[in-house]
Amino acid sequence: NAGVTQTPKFQVLKTGQSMTLQCAQDMNHNSMYWYRQDPGMGLRLIYYSASEGTTDKGEVPNGYNVSRLNKREFSLRLESAAPSQTSVYFCATITDRLNTEAFFGQGTRLTVV
Amino acid sequence: GQQVMQIPQYQHVQEGEDFTTYCNSSTTLSNIQWYKQRPGGHPVFLIQLVKSGEVKKQKRLTFQFGEAKKNSSLHITATQTTDVGTYFCAGRGTGGFKTIFGAGTRLFVKA
């Protein structure tokens, strides 16, 4: 029982390159979230998916796209990476509307040069 | 849109001193959660508050949810070096799925 698994753990990209961050959960949760964390900025919501087949924008969606492939997987894509997207990215899952405890993956540390 | 503000940004304390972080939302919340993140780690859930005026305790930690369900606080009594980390509040608005985090308060404890 791994909980929430993110891949890769580290990545360095050149400006303009694209990549997809993967997130998979084995907790059978409906809701999944992508956050980015910058020093002193806390966790900012990029996109979320309340259930399989739905996605919605969060606080900072520009430059990102997401796919809720199935109940287990929620991917985040950077089509053309920019240095401003250098950050630590966290995927999280939440079980349902009432119980809103979030379980986080270990994070992906992304550097765009 | 919904905003969650948290103060202070940093707090340095001597071991044994108390510590408090405050969280304020621009909108009424259905609930609020508190998380702790150790340096280099990921946020870990501490507690959830749901009811107006609710107070919960976990050993030396006391959590409060305001009467208007727009603010909350976390108080640590007699800090220890193991309390070092960043404490985040996170709020969910009524009727929605968006969970918005505060910027966090980073706690430094000097032995």
Side-chain angles (χ1 to χ4, degrees), chain A residues 43-68:
Chain A
L43 291 152
R44 290 185 292 171
L45 181 63
I46 305 171
Y47 271 94
Y48 66 103
S49 170
S51 62
E52 183 180 354
T54 69
T55 60
D56 287 284
K57 295 179 180 180
E59 301 168 273
V60 289
N62 291 344
Y64 305 95
N65 286 300
V66 291
S67 294
R68 183 74 183 267

PDB file of all heavy atoms in Angstrom, chain A residues 43-68:
ATOM      1  N   LEU A  43       1.639  26.476  -0.415  1.00  0.00           N
ATOM      2  CA  LEU A  43       1.190  25.551  -1.451  1.00  0.00           C
ATOM      3  C   LEU A  43       0.108  26.242  -2.271  1.00  0.00           C
ATOM      4  O   LEU A  43      -0.907  26.666  -1.724  1.00  0.00           O
ATOM      5  CB  LEU A  43       0.623  24.287  -0.806  1.00  0.00           C
ATOM      6  CG  LEU A  43       1.641  23.397  -0.111  1.00  0.00           C
ATOM      7  CD1 LEU A  43       0.988  22.621   1.008  1.00  0.00           C
ATOM      8  CD2 LEU A  43       2.290  22.461  -1.106  1.00  0.00           C
ATOM      9  N   ARG A  44       0.315  26.326  -3.553  1.00  0.00           N
ATOM     10  CA  ARG A  44      -0.675  26.971  -4.413  1.00  0.00           C
ATOM     11  C   ARG A  44      -1.296  25.923  -5.330  1.00  0.00           C
ATOM     12  O   ARG A  44      -0.594  25.160  -5.981  1.00  0.00           O
ATOM     13  CB  ARG A  44      -0.040  28.095  -5.221  1.00  0.00           C
ATOM     14  CG  ARG A  44       0.354  29.289  -4.355  1.00  0.00           C
ATOM     15  CD  ARG A  44       0.876  30.442  -5.197  1.00  0.00           C
ATOM     16  NE  ARG A  44       2.146  30.134  -5.828  1.00  0.00           N
ATOM     17  CZ  ARG A  44       2.730  30.896  -6.750  1.00  0.00           C
ATOM     18  NH1 ARG A  44       2.141  31.996  -7.159  1.00  0.00           N
ATOM     19  NH2 ARG A  44       3.892  30.547  -7.264  1.00  0.00           N
ATOM     20  N   LEU A  45      -2.617  25.946  -5.390  1.00  0.00           N
ATOM     21  CA  LEU A  45      -3.364  24.947  -6.145  1.00  0.00           C
ATOM     22  C   LEU A  45      -3.290  25.237  -7.636  1.00  0.00           C
ATOM     23  O   LEU A  45      -3.641  26.330  -8.084  1.00  0.00           O
ATOM     24  CB  LEU A  45      -4.819  24.943  -5.664  1.00  0.00           C
ATOM     25  CG  LEU A  45      -5.750  23.932  -6.323  1.00  0.00           C
ATOM     26  CD1 LEU A  45      -5.292  22.507  -6.041  1.00  0.00           C
ATOM     27  CD2 LEU A  45      -7.175  24.152  -5.818  1.00  0.00           C
ATOM     28  N   ILE A  46      -2.844  24.253  -8.410  1.00  0.00           N
ATOM     29  CA  ILE A  46      -2.724  24.418  -9.854  1.00  0.00           C
ATOM     30  C   ILE A  46      -4.018  23.950 -10.540  1.00  0.00           C
ATOM     31  O   ILE A  46      -4.687  24.702 -11.239  1.00  0.00           O
ATOM     32  CB  ILE A  46      -1.522  23.618 -10.408  1.00  0.00           C
ATOM     33  CG1 ILE A  46      -0.236  23.996  -9.683  1.00  0.00           C
ATOM     34  CG2 ILE A  46      -1.362  23.870 -11.908  1.00  0.00           C
ATOM     35  CD1 ILE A  46       0.949  23.108 -10.028  1.00  0.00           C
ATOM     36  N   TYR A  47      -4.336  22.693 -10.353  1.00  0.00           N
ATOM     37  CA  TYR A  47      -5.557  22.069 -10.872  1.00  0.00           C
ATOM     38  C   TYR A  47      -6.031  21.042  -9.869  1.00  0.00           C
ATOM     39  O   TYR A  47      -5.258  20.534  -9.072  1.00  0.00           O
ATOM     40  CB  TYR A  47      -5.276  21.350 -12.207  1.00  0.00           C
ATOM     41  CG  TYR A  47      -5.430  22.175 -13.444  1.00  0.00           C
ATOM     42  CD1 TYR A  47      -4.327  22.807 -14.003  1.00  0.00           C
ATOM     43  CD2 TYR A  47      -6.658  22.291 -14.087  1.00  0.00           C
ATOM     44  CE1 TYR A  47      -4.452  23.557 -15.166  1.00  0.00           C
ATOM     45  CE2 TYR A  47      -6.794  23.033 -15.258  1.00  0.00           C
ATOM     46  CZ  TYR A  47      -5.683  23.667 -15.790  1.00  0.00           C
ATOM     47  OH  TYR A  47      -5.811  24.397 -16.945  1.00  0.00           O
ATOM     48  N   TYR A  48      -7.317  20.723  -9.953  1.00  0.00           N
ATOM     49  CA  TYR A  48      -7.827  19.634  -9.152  1.00  0.00           C
ATOM     50  C   TYR A  48      -8.869  18.868  -9.944  1.00  0.00           C
ATOM     51  O   TYR A  48      -9.399  19.357 -10.952  1.00  0.00           O
ATOM     52  CB  TYR A  48      -8.393  20.139  -7.813  1.00  0.00           C
ATOM     53  CG  TYR A  48      -9.619  21.017  -7.924  1.00  0.00           C
ATOM     54  CD1 TYR A  48     -10.885  20.514  -7.646  1.00  0.00           C
ATOM     55  CD2 TYR A  48      -9.502  22.359  -8.253  1.00  0.00           C
ATOM     56  CE1 TYR A  48     -12.001  21.315  -7.719  1.00  0.00           C
ATOM     57  CE2 TYR A  48     -10.614  23.172  -8.335  1.00  0.00           C
ATOM     58  CZ  TYR A  48     -11.859  22.656  -8.062  1.00  0.00           C
ATOM     59  OH  TYR A  48     -12.977  23.459  -8.138  1.00  0.00           O
ATOM     60  N   SER A  49      -9.139  17.667  -9.445  1.00  0.00           N
ATOM     61  CA  SER A  49     -10.123  16.802 -10.074  1.00  0.00           C
ATOM     62  C   SER A  49     -10.996  16.227  -8.968  1.00  0.00           C
ATOM     63  O   SER A  49     -10.521  15.465  -8.136  1.00  0.00           O
ATOM     64  CB  SER A  49      -9.418  15.666 -10.831  1.00  0.00           C
ATOM     65  OG  SER A  49     -10.359  14.696 -11.251  1.00  0.00           O
ATOM     66  N   ALA A  50     -12.249  16.637  -8.964  1.00  0.00           N
ATOM     67  CA  ALA A  50     -13.156  16.198  -7.900  1.00  0.00           C
ATOM     68  C   ALA A  50     -13.546  14.732  -8.059  1.00  0.00           C
ATOM     69  O   ALA A  50     -13.879  14.060  -7.082  1.00  0.00           O
ATOM     70  CB  ALA A  50     -14.402  17.065  -7.869  1.00  0.00           C
ATOM     71  N   SER A  51     -13.510  14.257  -9.288  1.00  0.00           N
ATOM     72  CA  SER A  51     -13.846  12.852  -9.536  1.00  0.00           C
ATOM     73  C   SER A  51     -13.305  12.474 -10.910  1.00  0.00           C
ATOM     74  O   SER A  51     -12.923  13.340 -11.705  1.00  0.00           O
ATOM     75  CB  SER A  51     -15.355  12.632  -9.475  1.00  0.00           C
ATOM     76  OG  SER A  51     -16.002  13.392 -10.475  1.00  0.00           O
ATOM     77  N   GLU A  52     -13.290  11.193 -11.182  1.00  0.00           N
ATOM     78  CA  GLU A  52     -12.825  10.711 -12.481  1.00  0.00           C
ATOM     79  C   GLU A  52     -13.624  11.378 -13.588  1.00  0.00           C
ATOM     80  O   GLU A  52     -14.846  11.447 -13.541  1.00  0.00           O
ATOM     81  CB  GLU A  52     -12.997   9.192 -12.534  1.00  0.00           C
ATOM     82  CG  GLU A  52     -12.500   8.557 -13.789  1.00  0.00           C
ATOM     83  CD  GLU A  52     -12.699   7.050 -13.784  1.00  0.00           C
ATOM     84  OE1 GLU A  52     -13.127   6.514 -12.737  1.00  0.00           O
ATOM     85  OE2 GLU A  52     -12.457   6.416 -14.819  1.00  0.00           O
ATOM     86  N   GLY A  53     -12.896  11.908 -14.577  1.00  0.00           N
ATOM     87  CA  GLY A  53     -13.551  12.529 -15.714  1.00  0.00           C
ATOM     88  C   GLY A  53     -13.765  14.020 -15.594  1.00  0.00           C
ATOM     89  O   GLY A  53     -14.216  14.661 -16.551  1.00  0.00           O
ATOM     90  N   THR A  54     -13.444  14.603 -14.440  1.00  0.00           N
ATOM     91  CA  THR A  54     -13.612  16.052 -14.265  1.00  0.00           C
ATOM     92  C   THR A  54     -12.300  16.686 -13.815  1.00  0.00           C
ATOM     93  O   THR A  54     -11.556  16.094 -13.029  1.00  0.00           O
ATOM     94  CB  THR A  54     -14.686  16.377 -13.221  1.00  0.00           C
ATOM     95  OG1 THR A  54     -14.221  15.988 -11.928  1.00  0.00           O
ATOM     96  CG2 THR A  54     -15.984  15.669 -13.523  1.00  0.00           C
ATOM     97  N   THR A  55     -12.030  17.884 -14.320  1.00  0.00           N
ATOM     98  CA  THR A  55     -10.889  18.661 -13.849  1.00  0.00           C
ATOM     99  C   THR A  55     -11.297  20.123 -13.782  1.00  0.00           C
ATOM    100  O   THR A  55     -12.159  20.574 -14.558  1.00  0.00           O
ATOM    101  CB  THR A  55      -9.670  18.530 -14.779  1.00  0.00           C
ATOM    102  OG1 THR A  55     -10.007  18.995 -16.085  1.00  0.00           O
ATOM    103  CG2 THR A  55      -9.195  17.085 -14.875  1.00  0.00           C
ATOM    104  N   ASP A  56     -10.677  20.865 -12.864  1.00  0.00           N
ATOM    105  CA  ASP A  56     -10.979  22.284 -12.708  1.00  0.00           C
ATOM    106  C   ASP A  56      -9.715  23.047 -12.384  1.00  0.00           C
ATOM    107  O   ASP A  56      -8.787  22.511 -11.771  1.00  0.00           O
ATOM    108  CB  ASP A  56     -12.000  22.503 -11.579  1.00  0.00           C
ATOM    109  CG  ASP A  56     -13.382  22.074 -11.987  1.00  0.00           C
ATOM    110  OD1 ASP A  56     -14.017  22.815 -12.746  1.00  0.00           O
ATOM    111  OD2 ASP A  56     -13.799  20.990 -11.543  1.00  0.00           O
ATOM    112  N   LYS A  57      -9.714  24.334 -12.773  1.00  0.00           N
ATOM    113  CA  LYS A  57      -8.563  25.179 -12.508  1.00  0.00           C
ATOM    114  C   LYS A  57      -8.512  25.575 -11.043  1.00  0.00           C
ATOM    115  O   LYS A  57      -9.536  25.781 -10.399  1.00  0.00           O
ATOM    116  CB  LYS A  57      -8.630  26.430 -13.383  1.00  0.00           C
ATOM    117  CG  LYS A  57      -8.509  26.154 -14.870  1.00  0.00           C
ATOM    118  CD  LYS A  57      -8.608  27.444 -15.673  1.00  0.00           C
ATOM    119  CE  LYS A  57      -8.481  27.151 -17.170  1.00  0.00           C
ATOM    120  NZ  LYS A  57      -8.579  28.404 -17.973  1.00  0.00           N
ATOM    121  N   GLY A  58      -7.276  25.721 -10.567  1.00  0.00           N
ATOM    122  CA  GLY A  58      -7.052  26.206  -9.219  1.00  0.00           C
ATOM    123  C   GLY A  58      -6.618  27.651  -9.241  1.00  0.00           C
ATOM    124  O   GLY A  58      -7.097  28.453 -10.044  1.00  0.00           O
ATOM    125  N   GLU A  59      -5.655  27.997  -8.373  1.00  0.00           N
ATOM    126  CA  GLU A  59      -5.201  29.383  -8.253  1.00  0.00           C
ATOM    127  C   GLU A  59      -4.226  29.798  -9.358  1.00  0.00           C
ATOM    128  O   GLU A  59      -4.211  30.943  -9.788  1.00  0.00           O
ATOM    129  CB  GLU A  59      -4.493  29.562  -6.905  1.00  0.00           C
ATOM    130  CG  GLU A  59      -5.322  29.250  -5.686  1.00  0.00           C
ATOM    131  CD  GLU A  59      -4.442  29.189  -4.452  1.00  0.00           C
ATOM    132  OE1 GLU A  59      -3.881  28.104  -4.152  1.00  0.00           O
ATOM    133  OE2 GLU A  59      -4.303  30.231  -3.778  1.00  0.00           O
ATOM    134  N   VAL A  60      -3.376  28.860  -9.804  1.00  0.00           N
ATOM    135  CA  VAL A  60      -2.300  29.192 -10.744  1.00  0.00           C
ATOM    136  C   VAL A  60      -2.237  28.192 -11.891  1.00  0.00           C
ATOM    137  O   VAL A  60      -1.250  27.479 -12.068  1.00  0.00           O
ATOM    138  CB  VAL A  60      -0.942  29.281 -10.012  1.00  0.00           C
ATOM    139  CG1 VAL A  60      -0.875  30.517  -9.144  1.00  0.00           C
ATOM    140  CG2 VAL A  60      -0.688  28.029  -9.175  1.00  0.00           C
ATOM    141  N   PRO A  61      -3.260  28.115 -12.756  1.00  0.00           N
ATOM    142  CA  PRO A  61      -3.295  27.078 -13.793  1.00  0.00           C
ATOM    143  C   PRO A  61      -2.499  27.387 -15.066  1.00  0.00           C
ATOM    144  O   PRO A  61      -2.226  26.472 -15.863  1.00  0.00           O
ATOM    145  CB  PRO A  61      -4.788  27.005 -14.117  1.00  0.00           C
ATOM    146  CG  PRO A  61      -5.263  28.408 -13.897  1.00  0.00           C
ATOM    147  CD  PRO A  61      -4.471  28.919 -12.715  1.00  0.00           C
ATOM    148  N   ASN A  62      -2.127  28.655 -15.264  1.00  0.00           N
ATOM    149  CA  ASN A  62      -1.500  29.031 -16.538  1.00  0.00           C
ATOM    150  C   ASN A  62      -0.179  28.308 -16.745  1.00  0.00           C
ATOM    151  O   ASN A  62       0.679  28.279 -15.877  1.00  0.00           O
ATOM    152  CB  ASN A  62      -1.288  30.544 -16.589  1.00  0.00           C
ATOM    153  CG  ASN A  62      -2.596  31.293 -16.677  1.00  0.00           C
ATOM    154  OD1 ASN A  62      -3.633  30.728 -16.986  1.00  0.00           O
ATOM    155  ND2 ASN A  62      -2.554  32.581 -16.370  1.00  0.00           N
ATOM    156  N   GLY A  63      -0.015  27.738 -17.963  1.00  0.00           N
ATOM    157  CA  GLY A  63       1.206  27.028 -18.316  1.00  0.00           C
ATOM    158  C   GLY A  63       1.147  25.539 -18.027  1.00  0.00           C
ATOM    159  O   GLY A  63       2.129  24.825 -18.271  1.00  0.00           O
ATOM    160  N   TYR A  64       0.002  25.077 -17.523  1.00  0.00           N
ATOM    161  CA  TYR A  64      -0.163  23.672 -17.160  1.00  0.00           C
ATOM    162  C   TYR A  64      -1.421  23.090 -17.784  1.00  0.00           C
ATOM    163  O   TYR A  64      -2.384  23.801 -18.032  1.00  0.00           O
ATOM    164  CB  TYR A  64      -0.266  23.506 -15.640  1.00  0.00           C
ATOM    165  CG  TYR A  64       0.861  24.095 -14.853  1.00  0.00           C
ATOM    166  CD1 TYR A  64       0.761  25.390 -14.324  1.00  0.00           C
ATOM    167  CD2 TYR A  64       2.026  23.369 -14.604  1.00  0.00           C
ATOM    168  CE1 TYR A  64       1.794  25.934 -13.591  1.00  0.00           C
ATOM    169  CE2 TYR A  64       3.059  23.904 -13.866  1.00  0.00           C
ATOM    170  CZ  TYR A  64       2.935  25.188 -13.363  1.00  0.00           C
ATOM    171  OH  TYR A  64       3.966  25.728 -12.621  1.00  0.00           O
ATOM    172  N   ASN A  65      -1.385  21.779 -17.991  1.00  0.00           N
ATOM    173  CA  ASN A  65      -2.575  21.021 -18.342  1.00  0.00           C
ATOM    174  C   ASN A  65      -2.600  19.755 -17.503  1.00  0.00           C
ATOM    175  O   ASN A  65      -1.554  19.291 -17.047  1.00  0.00           O
ATOM    176  CB  ASN A  65      -2.579  20.645 -19.831  1.00  0.00           C
ATOM    177  CG  ASN A  65      -2.894  21.827 -20.704  1.00  0.00           C
ATOM    178  OD1 ASN A  65      -3.961  22.432 -20.583  1.00  0.00           O
ATOM    179  ND2 ASN A  65      -1.973  22.187 -21.576  1.00  0.00           N
ATOM    180  N   VAL A  66      -3.799  19.205 -17.312  1.00  0.00           N
ATOM    181  CA  VAL A  66      -3.914  17.996 -16.508  1.00  0.00           C
ATOM    182  C   VAL A  66      -4.788  16.974 -17.223  1.00  0.00           C
ATOM    183  O   VAL A  66      -5.589  17.321 -18.104  1.00  0.00           O
ATOM    184  CB  VAL A  66      -4.512  18.271 -15.113  1.00  0.00           C
ATOM    185  CG1 VAL A  66      -3.546  19.055 -14.246  1.00  0.00           C
ATOM    186  CG2 VAL A  66      -5.858  18.974 -15.222  1.00  0.00           C
ATOM    187  N   SER A  67      -4.609  15.725 -16.799  1.00  0.00           N
ATOM    188  CA  SER A  67      -5.448  14.632 -17.293  1.00  0.00           C
ATOM    189  C   SER A  67      -5.778  13.710 -16.135  1.00  0.00           C
ATOM    190  O   SER A  67      -4.867  13.257 -15.427  1.00  0.00           O
ATOM    191  CB  SER A  67      -4.725  13.830 -18.379  1.00  0.00           C
ATOM    192  OG  SER A  67      -4.503  14.601 -19.526  1.00  0.00           O
ATOM    193  N   ARG A  68      -7.077  13.480 -15.923  1.00  0.00           N
ATOM    194  CA  ARG A  68      -7.478  12.470 -14.927  1.00  0.00           C
ATOM    195  C   ARG A  68      -7.746  11.200 -15.727  1.00  0.00           C
ATOM    196  O   ARG A  68      -8.845  10.985 -16.249  1.00  0.00           O
ATOM    197  CB  ARG A  68      -8.734  12.928 -14.176  1.00  0.00           C
ATOM    198  CG  ARG A  68      -9.149  11.961 -13.084  1.00  0.00           C
ATOM    199  CD  ARG A  68      -8.266  12.034 -11.904  1.00  0.00           C
ATOM    200  NE  ARG A  68      -8.592  11.071 -10.874  1.00  0.00           N
ATOM    201  CZ  ARG A  68      -9.405  11.307  -9.839  1.00  0.00           C
ATOM    202  NH1 ARG A  68      -9.973  12.489  -9.716  1.00  0.00           N
ATOM    203  NH2 ARG A  68      -9.631  10.364  -8.949  1.00  0.00           N
TER     204      ARG A  68
END
